[in-house]
Amino acid sequence: MAISLSHFLLAKSLLLSLVQAATVTYDFDIGWVYANPDGQAIRPVIGINGQWPIPTISVTKGDRLIVNVQNSLGNESTSLHFHGLYMNGTNHMDGAIGVTQCGIAPGSSFTYNFTVDQPGTYWYHSHAKGQYPDGLRGPLIVHDPEDPHKDLYDEELVLTFSDWYHDLMNPLLAFFMSVANPSGAEPVPNSALVNETQNLTISITPGRTYLVRMINIGAFAAHYIWFEDHTMQIVEVDGSYTEPTDADMIYMTAAQRYSVLITAKNNTDANFAFVGAMDQDLFDVVPDGLNSNVTGWLVYDDSLEKHPPKDVNAFEPFDDFSLVPWDKEELYDKVDRTIRLDLKMDNLDDGANYAFFNDVTYVRPKVPTLYTVLSTGPNATNPTIYGSNTNQFLLEPNEVVEIILNNDDPGKHPFHLHGHTFQVISRSDDEAGFYDPSSSSSFPSTPMKRDTVLVRPNGNAVMRFRADNPGVWFFHCHIEWHVVSGLVATIIESPLSIQSQLANKIPSDHYDTCLILNSPTAGNAAGNTQDLLDLTGEFRSPGELPAGFTARGIVALVFSCVAAFLGLGVISWYGMMPVKAKTG
Amino acid sequence: MPDVFAVPVFFICFRECLETSIIVSVLLAFLKQTLGPEHDAMTRKKLIRQIWFGVAVGVFVCICIAAGVIGTFYTAGQQVFESAEYIWEGVFAILASVIITLMGAALLRVNKMQDKWRVKITKAFEVRDSSLPVKGRFKRWTEKYAMFMLPFITVLREGIEAVLFISGVGVGLPAKSFPLAVICGLAAGTLVGYLIYKGGNQTSLQIFLIISTCFLYLVAAGLFSKGVWDFEQNAWVKLAGEGAAEAGSGPGSYDIRKSVWHVNCCSPSANGDGGWGVFNSLFGWQNSATYGSVISYNIYWLVVIVGFVLQGFKERTGHWPLQKSSAKEISSDTGSDHATTGKGKQGGVVSSNVREIQE
């Protein structure tokens, strides 16, 4: 009852803000530029309007955001995903290629147009296969006139943390997904960046309190983050306000966000370093000479020295599980639908290493899943039509969904769900194994809410959300390497509601780019519009590794045995010759 | 088992020891014949003692040399080999295979080896008789102690040969796999040598030799295949780096593009699956067979089969197939050890000579 009431109030406030809402327009010409953010290597990066780092998108809650994209890359398709935005009623603007749109073909243009009804710290990035680490990633800040913490700070700062590669993603991906990398070792970044640079200095006015919006826009590495001699007070994670909570060090996985309040000291006696330290546990092999830290300084007095950061004894970050959301949204305790996802990594018969949910690795369908929903009428409720490699789950309107994620892999994985924030109701330590529903009964009454959650090595996590946002939503590991190796599920939420929301409302530029790329826009996952259950020709993953002896193995073994026996026979014949000669 | 018993080492020891014991037995028989009961027992005893003394000293020197060679090998060679382990293992596996193949056939002609040595020894004594008044203290010393020198030199020669072969074959093997194999090889060689000396049942002896030769060739075939496999694995480890090492015997430990079969168990190199190592040593088993390893295994057998058939043909007819039998190459020639392609240098000695001399 309480929930529906709050929804009602929210809707009313939305209506109010819509009245004064503005339209914010960005014209983005996406193209290659050169950059050298760590001073070690000049490389091509994907910039916007000839600039890199790319601009911060800044809107106020309730605004309409229009982004006109022109793809001038020449050699790659692209797209923009606005990470964390619910896209309620505008699923087709979510930007995920193969899910809600085709890639924006080189030379063509595409318009994202939607309203932003949620406050907080977000980011936007390419959702084309493995592309954003080449540079197409930037902050998206939604200001909130009704921010409950607005009286607590004087000024806002945005800090992005990220990892950086000296090589382009395409060659790195070619190696990563190849027979030469059977263990699936992710390429290790060459350096860490803050605001896409290093040794950043921030001028601080004594006594002021800053709202520092921190975003991990990296491809892979999580960051330990601390400000020397300054305490962080967490007030927002992933767009959800929290009860202010103190932390000395936080752990921010790829795609997570933290807004923290930092109060400046009252004197200008010294400057203070802050550090983003990439979590080396993620790296298969730490190369010699890798500086996995990036340092910046809170500068109180520019004439004073900026000391290198002090060593820390151990990484003991704040555990975000204990955060309490500001709206005190209560635990969804009645679950209508449980989705269990068992994660593993394994090799397929091309020798490369793939990631699996429930033994299926994701391969994008020929037709973006949203277009399959929109073009199949009543059949849209049949999961089969969405393909064999899409890990699809169909949800009924408004049911409470529980995702149980069992990590059968010794790596850390940050999982992100498009279109929702979820309650994180349970998260195990390392090596806890699979989730056991019978032994876990006490959940937090007001669980923390995020859109990206860390799942620990060989551990598990349980998330719940209400299916109140019709759309096709990606659920995936936000390590970009793992998106490519298939650690993705497709959540198809109320397909018939999607049809009623979006039928005939997809702008023509969406379909035009499909046409240019020769991608079908209707039918099942294979593009078949006649027999929707016929998936012939769909994109499939490589086959499984042959198990032991196949026909050719048996033939080879038999052949070898016959050869050996023949040989032994001839040797015996030769050996008996003199004996025969003697006796005969 | 390959951890404690190196099969190739066993066969090399067996073979070299057999040859040595044959020589010793020929010498003993020679003494028995030449110094019959009419000669005084004292001289005979003294000469017999000389023979055994020569054997003992030869063995001792060999052991010293072996210790030195293997010692240097393991200390100095270790780093060199470790950096390119698979290449070295491959090279030595193929080398060992070739060595075993070439000398294996000689086992089947051990009886003839006896004849060969009889000729040699007699000749040695003849030479001494004809060049009597000559010179030098050394010469005189060697004449006086011929019964010491002959076995000493023989043991030394065979021993050094064994040491070199073993260090070649054994470079990829752990040190602890040597002692048992060496001891068993020596014991078996001595036993068979003794049986030959005693002139036991020729047929059953020959059957025993055939069986051991068969094993020898199985081992050699396996080694040959493993050598090729090692080269391929080296290329794979270079390509896949850390990943291949991490994978154990699971996916990623082998190159799927070259795989003929792969079972995620039964790896000869995995420490737990000891039994499969025996299969690997004896038959060349691989849990992850490649095109290279399978094809090389079959080619090896093809070559061996053709080789033996040709050899058999020649021994029977006196000439190679497709070759006209010439008058000069008469069949008596085959008496010596043509079977050992690698070592048949004294093949020209004609067996009829032996009889002449003995008379």
Side-chain angles (χ1 to χ4, degrees):
Chain A
M1 221 25 223
I3 295 162
S4 59
L5 189 70
S6 71
H7 271 247
F8 174 70
L9 289 173
L10 202 87
K12 199 168 180 190
S13 65
L14 268 179
L15 279 173
L16 279 173
S17 60
L18 267 178
V19 178
Q20 0 160 323
T23 298
V24 181
T25 306
Y26 287 87
D27 292 319
F28 282 174
D29 185 4
I30 297 175
W32 293 103
V33 295
Y34 285 92
N36 185 4
D38 60 359
Q40 294 177 41
I42 298 177
R43 53 154 288 178
V45 302
I46 300 178
I48 287 179
N49 302 333
Q51 299 291 315
W52 191 87
I54 59 175
T56 296
I57 293 179
S58 188
V59 295
T60 303
K61 188 182 153 200
D63 283 353
R64 171 164 294 276
L65 175 59
I66 297 175
V67 181
N68 296 309
V69 174
Q70 167 70 33
N71 178 3
S72 302
L73 289 170
N75 60 346
E76 287 182 24
S77 295
T78 190
S79 81
L80 290 182
H81 166 61
F82 305 88
H83 183 113
L85 298 189
Y86 299 147
M87 294 291 173
N88 196 314
T90 50
N91 184 214
H92 55 303
M93 299 297 177
D94 196 43
I97 292 180
V99 187
T100 59
Q101 68 168 86
C102 299
I104 306 169
S108 53
S109 54
F110 193 101
T111 298
Y112 294 98
N113 181 346
F114 51 90
T115 42
V116 184
D117 285 334
Q118 53 191 127
T121 310
Y122 304 91
W123 62 302
Y124 69 104
H125 59 85
S126 158
H127 220 295
K129 187 177 183 175
Q131 192 179 56
Y132 82 77
D134 277 335
L136 192 45
R137 55 189 193 183
L140 190 163
I141 308 299
V142 186
H143 299 285
D144 182 10
E146 289 141 25
D147 178 356
H149 308 300
K150 68 182 167 195
D151 297 333
L152 299 178
Y153 59 88
D154 308 300
E155 205 175 314
E156 267 187 52
L157 294 170
V158 177
L159 292 181
T160 64
F161 290 82
S162 57
D163 42 24
W164 190 245
Y165 293 89
H166 291 162
D167 296 298
L168 285 162
M169 284 302 278
N170 271 338
L172 288 174
L173 285 166
F175 166 77
F176 175 64
M177 293 307 294
S178 80
V179 70
N181 184 25
S183 63
E186 303 83 3
V188 176
N190 298 98
S191 49
L193 302 178
V194 60
N195 284 3
E196 305 286 29
T197 185
Q198 293 184 326
N199 303 319
L200 180 74
T201 54
I202 302 169
S203 298
I204 296 293
T205 310
R208 297 193 96 179
T209 298
Y210 293 85
L211 175 73
V212 184
R213 299 178 183 270
M214 296 188 285
I215 313 168
N216 186 336
I217 60 172
F220 179 23
H223 283 254
Y224 295 97
I225 297 164
W226 67 97
F227 293 76
E228 286 187 350
D229 291 325
H230 290 71
T231 300
M232 296 176 271
Q233 190 172 44
I234 300 167
V235 292
E236 178 228 324
V237 288
D238 296 358
S240 297
Y241 292 122
T242 68
E243 293 276 291
T245 311
D246 285 353
D248 291 321
M249 179 188 284
I250 58 165
Y251 184 83
M252 188 161 70
T253 72
Q256 284 186 334
R257 288 91 63 208
Y258 282 86
S259 287
V260 299
L261 298 177
I262 293 179
T263 301
K265 299 194 178 301
N266 283 319
N267 56 63
T268 57
D269 297 346
N271 299 323
F272 295 89
F274 66 92
V275 183
M278 295 195 289
D279 179 5
Q280 298 197 350
D281 289 356
L282 292 160
F283 303 156
D284 200 54
V285 176
V286 180
D288 290 338
L290 172 72
N291 178 9
S292 58
N293 297 350
V294 60
T295 308
W297 283 273
L298 303 177
V299 177
Y300 285 79
D301 181 347
D302 204 29
S303 64
L304 292 174
E305 199 181 337
K306 294 186 274 290
H307 293 282
K310 291 171 243 168
D311 287 342
V312 290
N313 293 327
F315 291 125
E316 281 162 351
F318 174 79
D319 184 358
D320 58 336
F321 188 72
S322 61
L323 289 171
V324 176
W326 181 258
D327 65 3
K328 306 286 190 307
E329 185 185 72
E330 284 175 36
L331 170 77
Y332 295 124
D333 53 1
K334 193 185 144 294
V335 173
D336 303 305
R337 177 74 191 280
T338 296
I339 296 174
R340 179 176 154 170
L341 297 171
D342 296 346
L343 181 174
K344 69 160 186 181
M345 303 281 185
D346 206 353
N347 297 71
L348 291 178
D349 72 359
D350 62 349
N353 193 284
Y354 289 82
F356 300 81
F357 278 139
N358 304 335
D359 297 324
V360 177
T361 185
Y362 179 86
V363 178
R364 78 170 175 86
K366 270 188 176 166
V367 179
T369 306
L370 175 64
Y371 298 166
T372 299
V373 172
L374 294 177
S375 62
T376 51
N379 289 305
T381 53
N382 183 349
T384 313
I385 65 169
Y386 298 104
S388 321
N389 273 102
T390 52
N391 281 316
Q392 66 277 46
F393 294 92
L394 270 66
L395 303 184
E396 299 290 330
N398 278 312
E399 60 184 356
V400 170
V401 183
E402 176 179 79
I403 297 180
I404 298 173
L405 205 137
N406 293 315
N407 180 9
D408 195 10
D409 176 76
K412 299 174 182 171
H413 297 277
F415 278 99
H416 169 51
L417 175 61
H418 289 207
H420 288 275
T421 50
F422 41 68
Q423 298 180 339
V424 183
I425 65 154
S426 169
R427 178 171 60 189
S428 78
D429 290 330
D430 293 10
E431 309 301 325
F434 282 16
Y435 177 70
D436 179 4
S438 61
S439 73
S440 334
S441 50
S442 67
F443 301 120
S445 55
T446 52
M448 85 145 150
K449 290 194 287 184
R450 307 204 70 134
D451 61 36
T452 309
V453 63
L454 170 72
V455 183
R456 299 203 171 100
N458 291 314
N460 62 68
V462 183
M463 299 141 263
R464 287 180 186 169
F465 64 95
R466 183 178 292 280
D468 54 6
N469 187 14
V472 182
W473 308 115
F474 241 18
F475 177 78
H476 62 95
C477 176
H478 218 292
I479 290 175
E480 191 63 3
W481 305 109
H482 297 165
V483 178
V484 174
S485 66
L487 202 45
V488 175
T490 313
I491 309 291
I492 302 161
E493 188 172 329
S494 338
L496 299 180
S497 316
I498 302 174
Q499 289 176 356
S500 58
Q501 274 182 2
L502 295 179
N504 305 318
K505 285 197 185 146
I506 307 292
S508 63
D509 56 350
H510 289 228
Y511 289 131
D512 291 347
T513 186
C514 297
L515 212 65
I516 296 169
L517 294 171
N518 234 341
S519 292
T521 53
N524 63 16
N528 192 330
T529 51
Q530 302 302 314
D531 181 0
L532 294 174
L533 296 177
D534 179 10
L535 289 165
T536 314
E538 66 169 335
F539 295 145
R540 297 294 307 267
S541 62
E544 285 178 26
L545 281 177
F549 285 95
T550 54
R552 102 186 129 174
I554 291 166
V555 167
L557 194 60
V558 167
F559 225 82
S560 300
C561 290
V562 168
F565 277 114
L566 261 178
L568 297 182
V570 170
I571 290 171
S572 308
W573 163 79
Y574 176 79
M576 290 310 280
M577 268 173 48
V579 181
K580 272 185 192 150
K582 253 172 210 172
T583 51
Chain B
M1 180 175 114
D3 280 355
V4 289
F5 193 87
V7 180
V9 173
F10 165 79
F11 277 111
I12 289 168
C13 285
F14 171 61
R15 199 256 181 211
E16 301 298 341
C17 183
L18 180 57
E19 189 156 356
T20 309
S21 55
I22 285 171
I23 295 158
V24 172
S25 70
V26 168
L27 279 174
L28 291 174
F30 184 82
L31 279 186
K32 213 187 231 169
Q33 271 181 354
T34 48
L35 306 172
E38 68 274 12
H39 288 77
D40 71 307
M42 273 297 284
T43 322
R44 214 173 85 187
K45 244 187 179 163
K46 205 174 113 195
L47 288 175
I48 289 176
R49 202 176 298 143
Q50 263 190 32
I51 292 177
W52 286 116
F53 192 60
V55 171
V57 175
V59 166
F60 177 74
V61 174
C62 272
I63 288 173
C64 293
I65 293 173
V69 169
I70 291 174
T72 13
F73 231 74
Y74 266 86
T75 49
Q78 205 69 3
Q79 298 95 330
V80 183
F81 297 139
E82 249 166 36
S83 58
E85 192 191 356
Y86 282 111
I87 288 198
W88 285 109
E89 276 188 28
V91 166
F92 285 110
I94 288 179
L95 192 72
S97 167
V98 170
I99 291 170
I100 293 175
T101 306
L102 294 181
M103 69 187 210
L107 262 185
L108 295 171
R109 295 293 179 263
V110 148
N111 296 330
K112 287 170 187 168
M113 214 188 276
Q114 225 176 339
D115 292 337
K116 180 187 91 179
W117 278 103
R118 207 167 285 144
V119 174
K120 274 196 190 174
I121 288 165
T122 320
K123 258 190 144 182
F125 279 89
E126 256 190 352
V127 170
R128 186 182 61 169
D129 290 343
S130 59
S131 56
L132 239 181
V134 217
K135 37 267 122 196
R137 295 172 79 172
F138 180 72
K139 188 88 184 175
R140 291 191 81 118
W141 186 85
T142 47
E143 279 164 17
K144 191 174 174 193
Y145 296 106
M147 282 298 158
F148 166 81
M149 286 309 289
L150 263 174
F152 172 68
I153 298 285
T154 316
V155 170
L156 207 57
R157 214 199 66 159
E158 303 297 331
I160 290 173
E161 197 172 88
V163 168
L164 291 180
F165 284 175
I166 288 172
S167 45
V169 171
V171 71
L173 302 169
K176 65 177 174 182
S177 67
F178 283 58
L180 195 61
V182 169
I183 290 168
C184 292
L186 295 182
T190 316
L191 179 71
V192 176
Y194 179 74
L195 290 176
I196 292 174
Y197 173 65
K198 280 286 160 192
N201 184 335
Q202 286 290 312
T203 311
S204 56
L205 184 70
Q206 191 67 19
I207 286 171
F208 171 80
L209 288 175
I210 287 170
I211 292 171
S212 38
T213 310
C214 283
F215 270 111
L216 200 57
Y217 277 87
L218 279 172
V219 169
L223 278 172
F224 192 74
S225 158
K226 186 183 182 305
V228 173
W229 186 87
D230 280 332
F231 290 145
E232 292 191 317
Q233 191 66 9
N234 178 65
W236 170 242
V237 168
K238 264 196 184 145
L239 179 71
E242 283 291 316
E246 269 174 35
S249 63
S253 63
Y254 62 99
D255 189 342
I256 179 73
R257 297 166 301 180
K258 292 178 180 161
S259 177
V260 177
W261 73 70
H262 180 93
V263 283
N264 292 349
C265 71
C266 323
S267 162
S269 52
N271 293 328
D273 298 337
W276 297 100
V278 183
F279 266 19
N280 178 258
S281 304
L282 283 183
F283 309 118
W285 160 258
Q286 281 296 351
N287 67 314
S288 188
T290 62
Y291 283 105
S293 74
V294 168
I295 291 171
S296 60
Y297 189 82
N298 286 283
I299 285 181
Y300 175 86
W301 280 114
L302 189 69
V303 169
V304 165
I305 289 167
V306 169
F308 272 99
V309 167
L310 288 181
Q311 197 64 43
F313 182 89
K314 192 177 180 212
E315 283 184 24
R316 195 167 268 187
T317 64
H319 61 91
W320 299 109
L322 306 176
Q323 189 188 30
K324 274 186 196 164
S325 64
S326 69
K328 281 171 198 166
E329 262 187 70
I330 32 170
S331 60
S332 57
D333 180 83
T334 55
S336 50
D337 60 348
H338 267 265
T340 53
T341 336
K343 304 181 62 203
K345 285 142 204 150
Q346 299 93 350
V349 183
V350 182
S351 55
S352 57
N353 281 354
V354 180
R355 260 162 254 129
E356 268 169 38
I357 292 159
Q358 280 168 345
E359 274 156 17

